[in-house]
């Protein structure tokens, strides 16, 4: 079975550029999560969607960050303009929104802003 | 969410069972115990979860004590590919939003499987 698919796996770009990260959740899952992981701060939840609707974006660090989920099989996380402190590994996870159901993670996008 | 306590590191010989403990003495009656692992440069991988009863799947077994204040993840025949950081998480429901949607992984247990 296909897991959560993220693209690109690696992204290196210069500060000020727009960055778009993509995620395809597991088919049938109706909850989607975007996380960011750094050595200093560990794993942080950025935003959470349920049935394509953003439920909580309180973890989004600034207005430079935005996320969309136009349909049940696709989500994007956009950073514009990007800054060096945005460098991190960004993970997408999905789950079936029922009690006890676990989140399943993609392999992440390693983002480096120069 | 109940706080969990795990040993920082453990070693295990290849082919032997790896038993990873987790203390969660403040767990509530409706909180589940989840186990994940993260291998360097990969995303967190779900392993197993349970509420009250012991659970087994193709990857591992989860033993939860009768008072639910601790649990043990068992990898029955550890291989070198099982070397990873293992996280025990206690949650009511992984799919609540807001702060309850956040997975607090903590520091976990670094398991080293040696030949």
């Amino acid at each position: 079975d296909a897991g959560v698919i993220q693209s690109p796996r690696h992204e290196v770009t210069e500060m000020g550029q727009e960055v778009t990260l993509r995620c395809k959740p597991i088919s049938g899952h109706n909850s989607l999560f975007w996380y960011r992981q750094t050595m200093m701060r560990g794993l942080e939840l950025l935003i959470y969607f349920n049935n394509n609707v953003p439920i909580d974006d309180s973890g989004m660090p600034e207005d430079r960050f935005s996320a969309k989920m136009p349909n049940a099989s696709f989500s994007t996380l956009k950073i514009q303009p990007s800054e060096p402190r945005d460098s991190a590994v960004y993970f997408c996870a999905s789950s079936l929104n029922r009690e006890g159901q676990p989140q399943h993670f993609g392999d992440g996008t390693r983002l480096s802003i120069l | 969410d109940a706080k969990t306590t795990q040993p920082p590191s453990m070693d295990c010989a290849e082919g032997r069972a790896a038993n990873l403990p987790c203390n969660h003495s403040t767990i509530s009656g409706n909180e589940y115990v989840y186990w994940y692992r993260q291998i360097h440069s990969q995303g967190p991988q779900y392993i197993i979860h349970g509420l009250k009863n012991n659970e087994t799947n193709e990857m591992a077994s989860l033993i939860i004590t009768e008072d639910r204040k601790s649990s043990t993840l068992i990898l029955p025949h550890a291989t070198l590919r099982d070397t990873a950081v293992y996280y025990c998480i206690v949650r009511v429901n992984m799919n609540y939003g807001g702060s309850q949607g956040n997975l607090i992984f903590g520091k976990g247990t670094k398991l080293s499987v040696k030949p």
Side-chain angles (χ1 to χ4, degrees):
Chain A
D1 291 342
V4 175
I5 300 171
Q6 292 187 245
S7 64
R9 289 296 312 276
H10 303 274
E11 175 90 10
V12 180
T13 190
E14 293 185 348
M15 65 177 295
Q17 298 297 307
E18 178 179 292
V19 173
T20 299
L21 312 181
R22 297 172 176 79
C23 174
K24 177 179 170 56
I26 293 172
S27 178
H29 282 188
N30 55 356
S31 293
L32 184 138
F33 307 79
W34 281 100
Y35 291 87
R36 177 172 68 176
Q37 186 174 43
T38 62
M39 288 293 292
M40 291 293 291
R41 301 170 70 93
L43 197 67
E44 303 173 278
L45 178 67
L46 301 177
I47 188 169
Y48 157 55
F49 291 85
N50 192 37
N51 293 323
N52 312 337
V53 176
I55 301 301
D56 189 338
D57 64 355
S58 59
M60 297 285 261
E62 301 172 31
D63 291 345
R64 298 184 296 106
F65 285 69
S66 62
K68 294 182 179 180
M69 192 164 186
N71 57 63
S73 59
F74 184 66
S75 177
T76 60
L77 178 67
K78 188 174 293 186
I79 308 172
Q80 167 63 21
S82 58
E83 296 183 3
R85 59 192 168 122
D86 301 330
S87 298
V89 183
Y90 290 80
F91 290 108
C92 176
S94 72
S95 70
L96 191 59
N97 192 0
R98 282 210 299 261
E99 182 175 327
Q101 291 300 303
Q103 295 180 21
H104 296 271
F105 286 75
D107 281 334
T109 295
R110 186 171 296 274
L111 177 64
S112 297
I113 308 297
L114 306 177
Chain B
D1 296 339
K3 180 180 177 180
T4 61
T5 304
Q6 298 178 253
S9 64
M10 291 182 64
D11 289 341
C12 178
E14 188 179 19
R16 305 297 294 268
N19 297 282
L20 292 92
C22 180
N23 286 322
H24 31 79
S25 58
T26 60
I27 192 170
S28 301
N30 58 350
E31 288 183 309
Y32 290 77
V33 180
Y34 297 85
W35 282 85
Y36 282 77
R37 71 182 182 185
Q38 190 167 22
I39 298 168
H40 181 62
S41 81
Q42 296 183 19
Q45 180 186 21
Y46 164 75
I47 301 173
I48 198 168
H49 75 284
L51 182 62
K52 296 179 182 177
N53 299 323
N54 298 336
E55 302 288 344
T56 296
N57 63 21
E58 65 278 4
M59 289 182 68
S61 295
L62 174 61
I63 307 299
I64 302 174
T65 57
E66 191 169 343
D67 63 7
R68 302 208 325 122
K69 294 188 176 187
S70 66
S71 60
T72 301
L73 177 74
I74 301 172
L75 307 178
H77 305 287
T79 71
L80 298 179
R81 288 179 295 178
D82 292 322
T83 293
V85 180
Y86 287 76
Y87 300 96
C88 168
I89 301 166
V90 176
R91 294 291 307 277
V92 172
N93 184 330
M94 285 219 158
N95 300 302
Y96 285 146
S99 62
Q100 295 188 50
N102 201 358
L103 288 181
I104 309 298
F105 272 63
K107 296 189 183 301
T109 296
K110 182 173 173 55
L111 175 68
S112 298
V113 180
K114 300 182 184 300

